Amino acid sequence: MFRHSQLETVKAGMAHPAHAAMPLHARIQRAIRQLIIDGALGPGKPLPASRALAKSLGVSRDTIEAAYVRLHAEGFIDRRVGSGSFVAEMTEFTPGHRLSQRDALLRHQAPNLSKRGNAMFRSGGVHDTLSPRPFSPGVPETRTFPLQLWERLERQVRREIGTQALAHGDPQGTEPLRRAIADYVNLERGARATADRVLVLTSSQQAMMLCASMLLDPGDGIFIENPAYHGARKAFDAAGLECVPIRVDRQGIVVEQILAQPRKAKAVSLTPSHQFPTGATLALDRRLALIEWAARHQAWIIEDDYDSEFHYAGKPTACVQGLDPHDRTIYIGTFTKSLFPGLRIGYVVLPPQLVKPMTIARTLLDGHSAPMAQLTLARFMEGGHFGAYVRTMRGIYAQRLDALVDLVQKHLSDFVEPRIPIGGLQMPCLLTCDLSERAAIDAGRRAGIELLGLSALHATGDAEAGFLMGFAASTSAETEIAVKKLANAFRTVAKL
């Protein structure tokens, strides 16, 4: 029989909250296994008869038998007909080895990561909000998405291709979706794309990581906008690149600063359609100057066109990639903002010479994107549903932006000045009162409201204090409630 302490250990393992979802026999098996590993049950020691142990633990004999069968299959015990069950002899392992005090301390210290691993860990990552709060930036409306239509198209795909959808997919992406993406960006964004130049990925963030890893070496410089999208900067930092911040004004990135130090970096990262977070559009002459700089110095332009579908004033400017005759531009797009975040499909339009290297590199990350979702999206685009949906949401978002501007001017005019964007899913607001950015963000959080501070998006310390207010995911009525709550929160803090 087990000693009393061993029996109590098994009972404790049965009751452990972490094992609550496991079958009873599996919990007993794990507890006995740990006794063997710890050396509490040494090699050759007999285990209690299943009937006796069942009575001691208050379970059925079948439960104990099931636990013993698993222990025997794993090699922890031997079962001898007519003799019983015994702890197995393990010649290469000495049960009961205890960690030294030093080893135990090291076990709880920070992990011994690589330089790149440390950089990725220190970055804090890029977190998507599972349940977005009011004003969370970059979050689209999902409640109006035509889910029944999507499900119907998905059923069509399943009927037509059957179990092929369950197999591995093309690492570059399914041909129908690549063709649909090329047609779309050519028509709507003025791109120069063909299906064979499109690489389908899970997100624009994955595209950034691929570019950082494949185009530059650790220590190489990359020009970034200042302020910049934090996900891009974190990707470049994690790759060991030297980010060289370039000021942004009302016409986008100040190209003169790049031309004044042309060899300081081998690439530039841009959000030219709606600069993140200012909302500025990169002027045409600056686009052309950057294209010439990249061609002259064999540098790369990484163009993140993350929400270009949502432009509210006039027709959007053609993408940089479409203006570049030298094939030095990598164009990044995503369906996360235009459709819904759970889709997890982004893409890059690549220069021909980068297609094969980037596709091979992609196989080292996650192999391929899910074929079923790709084929359903391709059908959604081919049927004209994507264009129709984007047009509808563009009108809705424009109305929601107008409502937010009116509400901010009415209820928050003592605290902020809105900078009304011509596109995108969020509006920058500059603080015009004595309230600090940190105090404003904390006040909003206590009121259940999420504000992204502008200071954290700047590489230098001369940022104007303020925050972003996402407006796409909330109706005008929901926005009004949230703005009033925020105004009350600010007034409460201002009185302190």
Side-chain angles (χ1 to χ4, degrees), residues 4 79 109 156 168 172 200 212 256 273 311 332 335 466:
H4 176 73
R79 309 201 75 183
Q109 287 183 356
Q156 289 177 6
H168 285 288
Q172 191 177 342
V200 178
E256 290 82 355
S273 294
H311 197 90
I332 299 174
F335 294 98

Side-chain angles (χ1 to χ4, degrees), residues 480-492:
E480 182 174 8
I481 294 170
V483 168
K484 288 179 177 178
K485 287 174 65 175
L486 189 61
N488 289 334
F490 285 177
R491 277 192 287 269
T492 299

Side-chain angles (χ1 to χ4, degrees), residues 6 67 69 86 93 106-107 139 143 218 254 271 276 301 316 324 368 391 406 414-415 432 468:
Q6 295 170 340
V69 166
F86 300 83
F93 170 71
L106 288 173
R107 184 180 179 184
V139 180
R143 291 170 293 186
V254 179
T271 51
F276 189 95
I301 299 172
D324 180 5
H368 62 90
R391 286 191 294 273
D406 290 343
D414 291 340
F415 304 100
T432 56
L468 288 175

Side-chain angles (χ1 to χ4, degrees), residues 57-368:
L57 296 177
V59 300
S60 72
R61 186 184 179 191
D62 288 345
T63 299
I64 301 301
E65 274 298 317
Y68 279 2
V69 166
R70 290 184 65 164
L71 287 166
H72 180 246
E74 291 178 342
F76 283 96
I77 67 173
D78 293 326
R79 309 201 75 183
R80 304 168 193 166
V81 178
S83 299
S85 300
F86 300 83
V87 177
E89 299 282 351
M90 290 176 274
T91 57
E92 302 296 330
F93 170 71
T94 304
H97 172 70
R98 298 291 179 182
L99 290 173
S100 68
Q101 188 174 9
R102 177 178 174 276
D103 288 338
L105 288 172
L106 288 173
R107 184 180 179 184
H108 296 287
Q109 287 183 356
N112 186 24
L113 302 176
S114 66
K115 289 181 180 179
R116 181 167 290 175
N118 270 315
M120 296 175 75
F121 180 54
R122 286 196 308 270
S123 76
V126 180
H127 300 286
D128 295 318
T129 308
L130 296 179
S131 299
R133 293 179 167 189
F135 306 134
S136 294
V139 180
E141 176 63 87
T142 56
R143 291 170 293 186
T144 58
F145 183 77
L147 198 55
Q148 289 184 331
L149 169 61
W150 183 271
E151 290 172 343
R152 177 165 60 80
L153 296 175
E154 190 174 57
R155 287 195 298 271
Q156 289 177 6
V157 170
R158 281 202 301 269
R159 281 197 303 269
E160 291 178 20
I161 68 172
T163 57
Q164 291 180 32
L166 308 180
H168 285 288
D170 185 338
Q172 191 177 342
T174 64
E175 199 276 337
L177 179 57
R178 289 190 284 112
R179 185 176 62 247
I181 289 171
D183 290 344
Y184 170 73
V185 295
N186 288 342
L187 177 64
E188 297 293 337
R189 301 298 299 119
R192 297 166 59 251
T194 53
D196 60 342
R197 294 177 61 172
V198 175
L199 171 61
V200 178
L201 300 170
T202 56
S203 64
S204 57
Q205 191 65 33
Q206 187 183 45
M208 293 288 182
M209 291 295 292
L210 266 177
C211 289
S213 300
M214 293 295 290
L215 303 180
L216 298 102
D217 291 314
D220 283 346
I222 181 168
F223 293 121
I224 64 168
E225 298 165 324
N226 187 35
Y229 171 57
H230 50 289
R233 192 172 66 206
K234 288 180 178 183
F236 302 145
D237 285 341
L241 309 184
E242 180 189 350
C243 291
V244 182
I246 302 295
R247 185 170 60 87
V248 170
D249 62 18
R250 292 183 181 275
Q251 297 187 72
I253 194 168
V254 179
V255 175
E256 290 82 355
Q257 294 184 13
I258 293 176
L259 302 182
Q261 46 184 352
R263 297 184 183 277
K264 194 167 184 178
K266 295 182 178 180
V268 59
S269 173
L270 302 169
T271 51
S273 294
H274 305 133
Q275 199 279 328
F276 189 95
T278 67
T281 298
L282 185 62
L284 178 59
D285 59 340
R286 295 186 181 185
R287 294 173 185 238
L288 297 174
L290 278 176
I291 289 169
E292 289 306 310
W293 163 79
R296 187 177 306 115
H297 299 284
Q298 291 297 284
W300 298 105
I301 299 172
I302 301 172
E303 179 180 12
D304 183 4
D305 213 26
Y306 64 103
D307 64 0
S308 63
E309 290 87 359
F310 304 117
H311 197 90
Y312 312 126
K315 191 158 180 69
T317 308
C319 66
V320 174
Q321 191 269 356
L323 300 171
D324 180 5
H326 311 294
D327 284 331
R328 304 301 302 178
T329 302
I330 295 97
Y331 177 91
I332 299 174
T334 178
F335 294 98
T336 296
K337 312 296 185 190
S338 54
L339 293 180
F340 54 94
L343 183 57
R344 305 315 301 156
I345 293 182
Y347 59 91
V348 285
V349 180
L350 296 165
Q353 68 271 29
L354 289 182
V355 173
K356 189 173 182 179
M358 286 284 202
T359 302
I360 290 175
R362 189 272 166 86
T363 65
L364 299 176
L365 299 177
D366 62 354
H368 62 90

Side-chain angles (χ1 to χ4, degrees), residues 370-394:
M372 180 66 75
Q374 290 186 67
L375 292 169
T376 304
L377 175 56
R379 193 153 297 196
F380 190 74
M381 298 179 75
E382 291 164 354
H385 308 299
F386 178 71
Y389 181 72
V390 165
R391 286 191 294 273
T392 298
M393 298 313 296
R394 187 185 297 135

